[in-house]
Structures are given as C-alpha cells and as structure tokens.
Amino acid sequence: IPGPCAPCVCSDAGVLQDCHYHAELSEPVLWISGRGVTAVAEGALERNEGVTAVFLHENALETLPVGVFGGLRNPLEIQLHHNKIAELPPGLFDGLGPLKYLSMGHNRLEELPSGLFDALGRLRSLDLHNNRLRHLPSETFRGLQRVTAIDVSANNITSHPGIGTGTFANPDLAFVSLAHNPTLRSVEAGAFGESLEHVWLTGNNLTCARLTGTDGALPSGAGCADEGVCSATFGVAPLGNGVCDEKRDPRYNTAEC
C-alpha cells in the first residue's frame, strides 16, 4: 500500500489509523519509524497479534492511548525513542508480560505514572535516557523482576527527593546509568540491590567515593565509574573504533577506557 506510513495507514495529519495491511503480511516486525507519525489512534494495531517487535521511534508522538499494544500476543521489543512524548497514561503497558526490551530515550518525559511498569515482569532492558525526569519514586521499577539494565542518564534527577531506598533494588538488576544528571548529589543507602555490578555517574556532582562512603549506597563488589572514566552504557563503553567490555576487556576502567 502506498503512503508515508506503509504498510500502515496514516491521516494527512500523521495520525496512525490502522495496520490491517501489515497484518496480512504475517511479519513479526512492525516498522513505522521515521514516518512523521504524530499520534496513534485507538485500535490502530488490531489484527497484528503475531507482531513481536514494534518500531515507532524517530517520529513526532506526544503520547499514546491506553491499550494500543493490547492485542499483541507475544511482544518482545518496543522502540519509542526519539519522539516528543511528554506524557504516558497509566496502564499503557498492562498486558505486555512477555516484553523484554523497552526503549523510550530522547523524549520529553518529566514524570512517570505510578505502576507504569508493574506488568513488565520479564523486561530485561529499560532505556529512559535523555528525558526530563526529575524524580524516581522508590516504587517506579518495582514490577521489573528480571530487568538487568536501566538507563536514566541525561535527565534532571535531583537530590531532593532524589534516589530513595529500594529504587534500583530489583533482584536481577546489574547495570544502572545515572550519568549526566548534574543536580544529583546523593543516593540513599539501600537504593541498589546486591545484584548490582556497575553504576555510571559521569557528568554528575556525585562521585563513586561519595556513593561508597558517605552515602553508603554502593553494594560490596559493585563497580562504579565517575569523571575520568570513559562513558558507558549497560557495561559497554567506546574504545577507539571498537568497544571495551567490563567482563571481557582488561582495559576497562583504566586510562585507556
């Protein structure tokens, strides 16, 4: 089907209206990125039950309707990064239990509704970097029982109230990026769980020494990177034309990386 949203249909104003034609293709990936989509109508993704990945990144979305992903039987990945999303409704991700990867970086979120992620018990990676989040209540990520990586770098997280006890105490959470939150100056003891392997603090007024000492928030054995260490996300950092990995590269966390 011709049109800027093919194989879906958009209005002249960029509203994604339906993807029935895509449903007839029986393809697992629904790719609608970079199409100038300004909104998604309720029911727009109906009849696409077999889709496992939805790519809506690099559009002009400001929000999404509750239930828009509800018809997906086995969703594994949703990409919403690089939009203009300023608000998300409660319950948006309800019914998406199988979801493993959720990316919402480079948006305009200032706060998250309570319980937004409670239904995502199998999520492994959550990307919220480069938004405008100011506060992360301790219950924000409570439903993420299998998450291993959370990136909230480049937000506006402050020290009052800041990062409270239990915020990142998920049982499998290994990597947390708090980098480039310049107003963050402290993290409460107990904010991280014992599964933490590494936290990033580059670009903050908070140092690893402070996190380990005065705050007492860094679990024993966990790594930490602040100013002077290469920027990194989810355990992988740039190194020349390649990467260095904290589990595989002896140069990680050295002057070279």
Side-chain angles (χ1 to χ4, degrees):
I1 177 174
C5 292
C8 299
V9 177
C10 284
S11 70
D12 291 341
V15 178
L16 182 65
Q17 296 177 317
D18 73 68
C19 292
H20 293 173
Y21 293 100
H22 180 272
E24 296 175 5
L25 301 176
S26 299
E27 292 183 357
V29 177
L30 181 53
W31 195 289
I32 328 169
S33 66
R35 310 294 182 87
V37 178
T38 58
V40 179
E42 293 185 16
L45 304 186
E46 289 180 355
R47 294 173 55 185
N48 283 274
E49 297 88 351
V51 166
T52 59
V54 178
F55 296 127
L56 271 166
H57 56 285
E58 296 177 0
N59 282 297
L61 296 171
E62 296 181 4
T63 189
L64 289 163
V66 174
V68 67
F69 303 115
L72 307 181
R73 288 196 305 262
N74 188 37
L76 301 178
E77 180 176 1
I78 295 176
Q79 298 284 343
L80 298 170
H81 58 87
H82 288 87
N83 275 283
K84 300 178 181 179
I85 300 172
E87 183 179 9
L88 293 174
L92 177 63
F93 302 120
D94 288 1
L96 302 184
L99 194 67
K100 292 185 177 181
Y101 307 102
L102 177 59
S103 176
M104 296 191 293
H106 287 275
N107 278 290
R108 302 176 181 180
L109 292 166
E110 294 186 6
E111 60 182 358
L112 303 169
S114 178
L116 181 65
F117 306 121
D118 282 2
L120 304 181
R122 300 182 193 175
L123 197 74
R124 303 295 285 174
S125 173
L126 176 61
D127 181 3
L128 289 164
H129 86 281
N130 224 308
N131 274 279
R132 301 173 182 177
L133 297 172
R134 293 171 294 181
H135 175 43
L136 296 175
S138 58
E139 67 274 10
T140 301
F141 307 119
R142 64 190 173 194
L144 306 180
Q145 294 302 301
R146 297 185 63 184
V147 71
T148 60
I150 295 177
D151 186 351
V152 289
S153 61
N155 276 278
N156 296 325
I157 301 171
T158 66
S159 293
H160 302 287
I163 307 297
T165 300
T167 302
F168 296 109
N170 311 67
D172 291 341
L173 184 54
F175 305 108
V176 175
S177 180
L178 291 169
H180 300 288
N181 282 281
T183 56
L184 181 63
R185 292 178 173 83
S186 64
V187 174
E188 289 186 8
F192 302 106
E194 293 303 316
S195 61
L196 185 72
E197 294 185 25
H198 208 90
V199 60
W200 285 268
L201 300 176
T202 47
N204 287 337
N205 286 307
L206 177 62
T207 65
C208 294
R210 170 68 183 267
L211 201 66
T212 305
T214 305
D215 289 358
L218 192 68
S220 176
C224 180
D226 54 19
E227 296 303 333
V229 180
C230 59
S231 101
T233 304
F234 301 167
V236 179
L239 180 64
N241 294 323
V243 298
C244 61
D245 185 295
E246 69 171 327
K247 290 187 176 181
R248 300 180 179 87
D249 196 322
R251 296 169 293 178
Y252 184 84
N253 232 7
T254 69
E256 292 184 74
C257 180

